[in-house]
Amino acid sequence: MTRDYSLRAIEPPQPPEDRFVQFLKSRGKRITQQRRLIVEQVFSHHDHFDADELMDHLQELIAERKVSRPTVYRTLSELTEAGLIRKMTLGGRSVYEHEYGYPSHDHLHCEVCNKLIEFHSDEIERVRDSVARQHDFEVFSHRLFVSGLCRDCRKRKEQRSD
Amino acid sequence: MTRDYSLRAIEPPQPPEDRFVQFLKSRGKRITQQRRLIVEQVFSHHDHFDADELMDHLQELIAERKVSRPTVYRTLSELTEAGLIRKMTLGGRSVYEHEYGYPSHDHLHCEVCNKLIEFHSDEIERVRDSVARQHDFEVFSHRLFVSGLCRDCRKRKEQRSD
DNA sequence: CTACTTGCAAATCATTTGCAGATGA
DNA sequence: TCATCTGCAAATGATTTGCAAGTAG
């Protein structure tokens, strides 16, 4: 299987599938055919996805009754619990992205085409921690979403108004 | 009516109710009894709320059939469109806060008690704009959520483990 | 008047759950 | 073996919508 780790990816010490097996064992859960198929699909390429998109990729397996809708949801929860993926909410629906083997980052979200552009900023973490300290707040994590227009949609807009 | 504007509030040039009337007129919409009642309730105190909490406050009016559930939702959308309130998603449900007459800010969210602590940071905006510039991205707004433990919940946790 | 609004009941829609049969350890 | 899983169908729960009656301008 080819695995697409883009630019800023961290080479993980062990593949996500193994990590998941480890997680399942530690919880007395079983390594089933469907859990195997779902993790594999989820980590087959680095991208943001929602439950429906994932099911589109699994459509054949779903048609063959090898995997079902509830199991996809159940497994997404487990992957989230295991820290392999990260869940976020975008306009009412849940969107997931890889967390394991990928550095923490934030997003620029294009309101027109819905593209998500990732970026990382140490400075934001610094400011975040300093604010938290002022409030006696213990930080677990943060999420920064910047809404606006991506380069392409901006160009398209400018052309129209010229 | 007493209006609770806390510490960092900006005294708005005109009350939110008037702003709303202006907005409605500009759209050829009508100033109805229920829209009046809802804005008034929404701006009666500065706090984060969801549709259900708002309806709890309106329970008498709802019981008397002066306002209904769909109208509450419809009016929340209008208030959001009017820029008077801001909608965010917190664990699947929509949560609202005042936007008009209040400076832009971000949140520390306590995962235990769900408290939202507001803060403002120019520095974050600076970093945000600089990142956006690097990506040729036009910023409309941003949302920063810091998850963790608030002071009180932290103390409670420490006591338990002592 | 009459177009915009409302309340009601019913519809949506993503996600979750109960349960009987299937399966991994 | 037998507790954990799965697929199915049905439930959920917040939010939305169609429609006939109500009301603002």
Side-chain angles (χ1 to χ4, degrees):
Chain A
M1 193 211 331
T2 46
R3 184 158 287 154
D4 161 30
Y5 283 120
S6 56
L7 285 181
R8 293 170 296 88
I10 292 163
E11 197 52 48
Q14 84 191 133
E17 288 84 349
D18 294 1
R19 253 312 263 219
F20 193 39
V21 166
Q22 207 174 38
F23 168 82
L24 292 171
K25 284 188 175 161
S26 76
R27 301 274 186 122
K29 295 187 162 195
R30 292 172 179 173
I31 291 105
T32 63
Q33 196 48 215
Q34 15 290 84
R35 298 213 249 236
R36 246 198 266 279
L37 293 166
I38 295 169
V39 212
E40 190 176 311
Q41 177 56 53
V42 164
F43 282 94
S44 66
H45 58 285
H46 184 70
D47 219 348
H48 300 85
F49 63 95
D50 62 20
D52 273 328
E53 287 164 348
L54 175 53
M55 287 191 275
D56 282 349
H57 287 127
L58 294 168
Q59 55 180 278
E60 289 192 22
L61 295 167
I62 290 173
E64 296 168 33
R65 311 272 141 96
K66 294 286 198 298
V67 172
S68 71
R69 179 176 285 273
T71 295
V72 167
Y73 278 104
R74 287 189 275 237
T75 306
L76 283 172
S77 298
E78 291 162 348
L79 288 170
T80 306
E81 255 189 283
L84 289 175
I85 61 177
R86 169 183 267 249
K87 183 182 185 173
M88 36 192 183
T89 307
L90 187 51
R93 47 193 316 125
S94 293
V95 177
Y96 302 85
E97 64 175 5
H98 296 172
E99 170 149 34
Y100 179 67
Y102 219 73
S104 79
H105 58 269
D106 294 302
H107 298 91
L108 305 177
H109 174 230
C110 176
E111 293 195 359
V112 171
C113 68
N114 270 313
K115 194 190 303 166
L116 286 172
I117 300 165
E118 301 175 354
F119 70 91
H120 174 84
S121 164
D122 287 325
E123 212 176 337
I124 281 174
E125 288 175 15
R126 241 197 43 243
V127 178
R128 170 198 78 179
D129 292 340
S130 132
V131 168
R133 216 170 300 119
Q134 285 166 40
H135 289 270
D136 249 321
F137 188 90
E138 180 183 344
V139 174
F140 295 162
S141 68
H142 81 266
R143 221 152 263 203
L144 171 60
F145 239 79
V146 181
S147 298
L149 263 190
C150 71
R151 182 191 356 240
D152 297 345
C153 292
R154 190 132 76 111
K155 276 189 195 150
R156 221 167 290 134
K157 195 181 77 176
E158 277 162 15
Q159 286 178 347
R160 247 181 293 131
S161 55
D162 285 346
Chain B
M1 192 210 335
T2 46
R3 184 158 288 157
D4 160 30
Y5 284 119
S6 56
L7 286 180
R8 292 168 299 89
I10 292 163
E11 196 53 49
Q14 84 191 131
E17 288 85 347
D18 293 2
R19 253 312 262 218
F20 193 39
V21 165
Q22 209 173 35
F23 168 82
L24 292 171
K25 284 188 176 160
S26 76
R27 301 272 187 124
K29 295 187 161 196
R30 291 172 179 173
I31 291 104
T32 63
Q33 197 49 216
Q34 17 288 84
R35 297 213 249 235
R36 246 198 265 280
L37 293 166
I38 295 168
V39 212
E40 191 176 311
Q41 177 57 52
V42 164
F43 282 92
S44 66
H45 58 284
H46 183 72
D47 219 347
H48 301 84
F49 63 95
D50 62 21
D52 273 327
E53 285 163 350
L54 175 53
M55 288 191 273
D56 282 349
H57 287 127
L58 293 168
Q59 54 179 276
E60 289 191 22
L61 294 167
I62 289 173
E64 295 167 33
R65 312 270 139 100
K66 295 285 198 298
V67 172
S68 71
R69 179 177 285 273
T71 296
V72 167
Y73 278 104
R74 287 190 273 238
T75 306
L76 283 172
S77 297
E78 290 161 350
L79 288 169
T80 305
E81 255 189 284
L84 290 175
I85 61 178
R86 167 184 268 249
K87 183 181 186 173
M88 38 193 181
T89 306
L90 188 50
R93 41 191 326 122
S94 294
V95 177
Y96 302 85
E97 64 175 5
H98 296 173
E99 170 149 33
Y100 178 68
Y102 219 74
S104 78
H105 58 269
D106 294 301
H107 298 91
L108 304 176
H109 173 231
C110 176
E111 293 196 359
V112 171
C113 68
N114 270 313
K115 194 190 302 165
L116 285 173
I117 301 166
E118 301 174 354
F119 70 91
H120 174 85
S121 163
D122 287 325
E123 213 176 333
I124 282 174
E125 288 175 14
R126 240 196 44 242
V127 178
R128 171 198 76 180
D129 292 340
S130 133
V131 168
R133 217 171 301 120
Q134 285 166 39
H135 289 270
D136 249 319
F137 188 90
E138 180 182 344
V139 174
F140 294 163
S141 68
H142 80 266
R143 221 152 263 202
L144 172 60
F145 241 79
V146 181
S147 298
L149 263 189
C150 72
R151 184 191 354 243
D152 297 346
C153 292
R154 189 133 77 112
K155 276 189 192 148
R156 223 168 288 133
K157 195 182 78 176
E158 277 163 14
Q159 285 178 347
R160 248 183 290 129
S161 56
D162 286 347

